[in-house]
Amino acid sequence: MPASEKGKSISRCRRINRMLSNESLHSPAFSRSNSQASIDSTSMEDFLREIESIKENSIGSVGGQEEQIPAEVKPVDEGELEAEWLQDVGLSTLISGDEEEDGKALLSTLTRTQAAAVKKRYNTYTQTMRKKNKQSVRDVRDIFGVSESPPGDTCDNHPAQLDGTQEEKELPGVIKTSGSLPDDASLNSTTLSDGSQDEEGSFAVPRSGPVSILETIPALPVHSNGSPDPGQSVQSAMSDDDYVKKNIPPETEELSFEVSYSEMVTEAPKRSKFKKSNFKKEDYALTKFIVQKTRFGLTEAGDLSAEDMKKIRHLSLIELTAFFDAFGIQLKRNKTEKVKGRDNGIFGVPLTVLLDSDRKKDPGVKVPLVLQKFFEKVEESGLESEGIFRLSGCTAKVKQYREELDAKFNADKFKWDRMCHREAAVMLKAFFRELPTSLFPVEYIPAFITLMERGPHIKVQFQALHLMVMALPDANRDTAQALMTFFNKVIANESKNRMSIWNISTIMAPNLFFSRSKHSDYEELQLANTAAHIIRLMLKYQKILWKVPSFLITQVRRMNEATMLLKKQLPSVKKLLRRKTIEREVISPKTSKVLQKSPSSRRMSDVPEGVIRVHAPLLSKVSMAIQLTSHTKAKDILAKFQYENSHGSSECIKIQNQRLYEIGGNIGQHCLDPDAYVLDVYHVNPQAEWVIKPQPSF
């Protein structure tokens, strides 16, 4: 590095350190009194050292492309921002005007706060279109059946707090709950109106006027997936460390995945404010959470089908937006930074492109193979190496290995035995740093900064992060989960490698959250502080962060049911949506064939109530009828198959990797928790098929 550049770097380091130590001059956004622990000077040295290492190891290009010059922040076109948001949540048809069952089904499942969030964004989009003298393809009343908000009604207000407002009274198809939501409430209290009054709530009065898309969806049976029946005790609990005993220590806190987070936030002022907490640098200062297992068990992100996870992503982003709306915070203030990646090689190539190439070798792979090799090299001999991720490695070797990996990895010609753990650690950081877009959405950081400045309880921060993780693309989410698992192995050897959760999070922050826009020193400090804190939360709560909230699974089930009803083209839907070709579609052989194949259209008269037929195509005993009781768990059915297959055999057939799946009906595919009570799942999805098969791994 030239002397002049080095001098500038040292000066910059001193300026930032002064900002950290002199709170009277610059009150940092993250002081010790706030709920987020501040990065102290020692940890900031790791961050600044990593920044300088990034500059020194830059080879003039990023993944073979021209180095990106930081861009000036341009004024944001709100219409374009909201149009991008509507596309990201699966509602692009509101812009295009096209008819699509999935979009209508999605709208039909929204909770009160989620619907308000969508309406706010669509209102902003239509108002911006009018300012440009353009007509939006749909009026907001055609979607929600409500009057448009006043021009000054922006998403910076509190749109989710709807108690007693005109907006809530006019929003059709939503039940208004009376009083506060109980801690164990299910989504039954915020569902579509079916024309009958709920015992615990009252209906909003439907408005007269244009018929909304929401009103064209027939009333659906509501399923309380993830919600225990009244009077039933919770069976077990999952904690951030492991399964816990029934006696909950006072320093732990319970999490509920059964109720919409945004609904909980809007009801919180009626119960009690989220208390603020002071945190220190020590890892143990972070709250220990437990997640109560209901009779449906817990669901991992990988336990659902790709199509259902796509719906989870859309719903999670809507829910995340509604969650921040409840705090009066706009989630996204800038458009997503998009850079076209390379089509081949390793560095600077999008994760999806790498995975497409890897799946030619291993169809089930979820994490890029080259990244898995980096993990293996560090784990072989580097877990106890002091400062493993602080070291920059030999620049010449790093450059050589980069070039060879780009040219030889996909052809399986790269010689891994030459690379040591130090170079592997450097390459791992470079891999993430040079992705076309950061692994985690940096455009959400300003919203997280604002949230943490207000000092909410760590539980609120976890809920926001949980939704962000669920909203990630599959490739990003699976890669992030593997990365956090790997880093926890590194942290487990902290006594020897001197890499604590603080060191790892601070060093990795600029590699996992990066922006190509220009920032002041203070803004960069905020970015580093928030990104590092988010990574710490991911590392601490890794075992529960990838569990899918059951309230989202409930919404997916309802979406699938609504989609099936729409595809059947009910007469009321035909009339209200004015589909000119509907008669031809109804008698179409293709449509009839699809409906005949649908699990929900099959008659199950040959199977008695409470009896399921379980198929196990890979076992010698391929099928068995099971009489379900209120005590039958998924693991009991697996044990029965294991016994039947091993009976009379000299060898015990092991099916540890086999899991019970519900397939079809109102879910695409769902790998059941071994502790799930199958009768409860059966009641939620009586048309499902039941299959025992291996559970895929990364």
Side-chain angles (χ1 to χ4, degrees):
M1 180 185 293
S4 59
E5 291 293 325
K6 190 172 183 179
K8 290 179 181 178
S9 176
I10 293 173
S11 175
R12 184 165 169 272
C13 292
R14 288 173 178 168
R15 287 202 309 275
I16 293 181
N17 275 317
R18 279 199 301 270
M19 291 167 64
L20 287 165
S21 60
N22 192 350
E23 294 187 6
S24 62
L25 295 178
H26 300 275
S27 179
F30 311 104
S31 66
R32 294 283 183 192
S33 61
N34 283 356
S35 63
Q36 180 189 20
S38 298
I39 294 181
D40 59 15
S41 298
T42 303
S43 297
M44 182 52 66
E45 287 175 7
D46 282 338
F47 169 75
L48 296 174
R49 190 183 297 114
E50 182 64 21
I51 293 295
E52 296 309 319
S53 176
I54 290 172
K55 293 179 180 178
E56 289 174 2
N57 285 286
S58 167
I59 313 176
S61 64
V62 177
Q65 303 180 66
E66 292 295 325
E67 186 174 6
Q68 297 294 323
I69 299 174
E72 295 286 353
V73 178
K74 297 179 180 179
V76 179
D77 184 308
E78 287 190 348
E80 292 181 4
L81 195 64
E82 305 305 3
E84 182 180 80
W85 185 88
L86 289 167
Q87 291 173 349
D88 289 344
V89 301
L91 292 174
S92 58
T93 54
L94 298 186
I95 301 172
S96 66
D98 297 335
E99 299 290 351
E100 185 194 59
E101 287 84 2
D102 287 346
K104 301 188 196 77
L106 173 60
L107 286 171
S108 76
T109 68
L110 299 182
T111 65
R112 178 185 57 178
T113 51
Q114 292 169 356
V118 173
K119 178 175 176 290
K120 290 285 182 182
R121 272 75 200 166
Y122 190 73
N123 265 339
T124 302
Y125 168 74
T126 55
Q127 290 163 12
T128 305
M129 293 288 286
R130 289 196 194 97
K131 291 178 182 177
K132 296 179 179 179
N133 295 319
K134 296 180 180 179
Q135 182 63 41
S136 57
V137 295
R138 285 179 177 171
D139 190 281
V140 70
R141 290 168 294 181
D142 296 331
I143 301 168
F144 291 100
V146 297
S147 302
E148 296 186 52
S149 300
D153 187 13
T154 68
C155 57
D156 287 330
N157 296 326
H158 297 260
Q161 297 177 355
L162 303 174
D163 294 350
T165 64
Q166 184 68 19
E167 183 176 69
E168 184 185 49
K169 292 176 182 177
E170 293 182 340
L171 192 62
V174 176
I175 298 174
K176 175 183 174 184
T177 57
S178 59
S180 60
L181 285 173
D183 290 332
D184 59 349
S186 72
L187 282 179
N188 290 356
S189 58
T190 53
T191 180
L192 290 177
S193 167
D194 62 358
S196 61
Q197 186 168 351
D198 185 81
E199 293 180 3
E200 296 295 328
S202 58
F203 291 124
V205 179
R207 69 181 298 280
S208 59
V211 178
S212 73
I213 289 178
L214 288 181
E215 290 174 314
T216 69
I217 309 295
L220 302 174
V222 178
H223 303 309
S224 56
N225 179 32
S227 300
D229 294 333
Q232 291 181 336
S233 60
V234 177
Q235 302 300 316
S236 58
M238 176 72 177
S239 75
D240 50 290
D241 290 331
D242 211 328
Y243 291 98
V244 298
K245 305 295 182 182
K246 290 184 178 179
N247 295 326
I248 301 174
E251 64 271 14
T252 64
E253 186 169 348
E254 182 180 342
L255 280 174
S256 172
F257 287 173
E258 302 169 59
V259 184
S260 160
Y261 294 162
S262 59
E263 294 284 347
M264 291 172 65
V265 170
T266 57
E267 295 291 339
K270 296 180 181 179
R271 299 195 301 267
S272 61
K273 297 283 186 180
F274 285 110
K275 61 180 180 180
K276 296 184 179 181
S277 300
N278 296 326
F279 295 103
K280 298 180 180 179
K281 181 174 178 178
E282 290 78 9
D283 173 35
Y284 63 75
L286 289 172
T287 305
K288 181 177 181 179
F289 291 128
I290 62 167
V291 179
Q292 294 293 345
K293 267 195 178 184
T294 69
R295 294 182 63 85
F296 295 88
L298 296 173
T299 300
E300 297 277 356
D303 291 343
L304 297 172
S305 67
E307 278 301 309
D308 284 343
M309 276 309 302
K310 182 178 179 181
K311 294 166 187 172
I312 291 288
R313 291 200 306 273
H314 292 161
L315 288 165
S316 296
L317 183 51
I318 295 174
E319 174 69 9
L320 180 62
T321 305
F323 185 82
F324 276 99
D325 280 353
F327 288 96
I329 301 171
Q330 185 176 354
L331 173 62
K332 193 173 177 183
R333 303 170 193 177
N334 295 292
K335 293 189 70 175
T336 304
E337 295 179 351
K338 295 180 180 179
V339 176
K340 189 177 185 298
R342 299 169 61 199
D343 296 328
N344 52 67
I346 297 299
F347 296 92
V349 179
L351 291 174
T352 51
V353 175
L354 289 172
L355 288 169
D356 286 342
S357 176
D358 290 343
R359 283 168 184 157
K360 296 175 183 177
K361 307 173 187 177
D362 181 358
V365 70
K366 295 184 178 181
V367 178
L369 294 177
V370 67
L371 187 58
Q372 294 185 44
K373 292 297 292 186
F374 290 150
F375 294 161
E376 290 173 13
K377 291 302 295 184
V378 174
E379 290 175 19
E380 281 175 9
S381 58
L383 289 180
E384 296 182 359
S385 177
E386 185 171 345
I388 176 64
F389 281 97
R390 289 196 191 96
L391 304 176
S392 58
C394 174
T395 303
K397 282 187 178 181
V398 169
K399 181 177 180 180
Q400 177 188 347
Y401 290 151
R402 284 170 53 99
E403 293 171 353
E404 291 185 10
L405 279 169
D406 272 334
K408 300 179 180 180
F409 177 78
N410 288 326
D412 294 325
K413 294 181 179 179
F414 182 78
K415 304 294 184 182
W416 285 98
D417 56 345
R418 294 185 302 153
M419 182 185 291
C420 75
H421 58 265
R422 288 186 297 275
E423 280 88 28
V426 173
M427 306 294 276
L428 183 148
K429 291 189 292 185
F431 174 86
F432 286 105
R433 185 170 63 249
E434 297 181 16
L435 287 173
T437 56
S438 66
L439 183 66
F440 301 115
V442 71
E443 62 270 17
Y444 297 164
I445 288 290
F448 275 88
I449 289 175
T450 305
L451 180 69
M452 293 169 188
E453 280 178 338
R454 298 182 182 182
H457 190 273
I458 198 72
K459 180 177 181 178
V460 174
Q461 299 177 29
F462 171 85
Q463 290 172 327
L465 177 58
H466 195 191
L467 293 171
M468 187 193 81
V469 167
M470 289 295 111
L472 290 173
D474 289 345
N476 295 54
R477 188 190 60 252
D478 293 337
T479 299
Q481 184 175 9
L483 182 65
M484 296 304 146
T485 300
F486 165 73
F487 279 139
N488 273 318
K489 293 179 182 178
V490 176
I491 295 166
N493 291 273
E494 177 187 354
S495 61
K496 295 181 179 179
N497 61 32
R498 306 297 181 188
M499 299 300 299
S500 68
I501 188 172
W502 273 73
N503 299 132
I504 288 290
S505 61
T506 305
I507 289 170
M508 290 306 299
N511 295 289
L512 300 179
F513 289 89
F514 57 79
S515 172
R516 294 183 175 88
S517 301
K518 286 185 177 179
H519 299 283
S520 67
D521 288 343
Y522 188 68
E523 289 172 335
E524 194 162 310
L525 172 63
Q526 284 186 312
L527 174 63
N529 201 8
T530 306
H533 182 63
I534 288 173
I535 295 171
R536 279 196 295 280
L537 294 181
M538 286 186 177
L539 291 168
K540 172 65 177 177
Y541 304 119
Q542 185 230 347
K543 291 188 178 180
I544 58 175
L545 197 56
W546 275 265
K547 307 290 183 186
V548 183
S550 52
F551 71 85
L552 292 178
I553 299 176
T554 298
Q555 289 186 267
V556 168
R557 290 185 186 277
R558 293 172 60 202
M559 271 187 72
N560 291 336
E561 289 174 344
T563 300
M564 287 189 288
L565 287 173
L566 285 166
K567 285 183 177 179
K568 288 181 179 179
Q569 309 297 345
L570 296 177
S572 58
V573 178
K574 287 188 290 183
K575 181 179 179 180
L576 292 169
L577 297 181
R578 301 170 184 166
R579 293 195 173 183
K580 297 180 181 179
T581 60
I582 195 64
E583 296 298 334
R584 185 170 66 255
E585 292 178 7
V586 167
I587 62 174
S588 167
K590 182 177 180 182
T591 303
S592 300
K593 187 175 182 182
V594 170
L595 291 176
Q596 288 171 7
K597 285 188 175 182
S598 171
S600 63
S601 66
R602 291 193 198 92
R603 297 187 60 83
M604 304 293 290
S605 57
D606 57 326
V607 180
E609 177 70 19
V611 176
I612 62 172
R613 181 160 292 280
V614 181
H615 301 276
L618 299 182
L619 302 178
S620 57
K621 180 77 172 179
V622 297
S623 180
M624 194 185 304
I626 304 289
Q627 174 67 62
L628 300 177
T629 71
S630 60
H631 303 292
T632 306
K633 293 185 178 182
K635 64 183 179 183
D636 298 330
I637 295 177
L638 293 172
K640 188 172 182 61
F641 266 85
Q642 180 168 348
Y643 173 78
E644 292 292 335
N645 280 274
S646 62
H647 187 64
S649 172
S650 59
E651 295 183 5
C652 180
I653 298 176
K654 296 183 179 180
I655 59 172
Q656 281 85 349
N657 193 40
Q658 304 278 329
R659 295 283 291 274
L660 178 62
Y661 286 77
E662 59 162 324
I663 300 175
N666 56 32
I667 204 77
Q669 175 174 287
H670 182 200
C671 180
L672 295 183
D673 186 321
D675 289 323
Y677 288 84
V678 183
L679 185 60
D680 293 71
V681 182
Y682 168 80
H683 286 152
V684 164
N685 192 9
Q687 305 300 330
E689 292 183 343
W690 308 89
V691 179
I692 293 176
K693 61 180 183 176
Q695 183 183 27
S697 56
F698 284 114

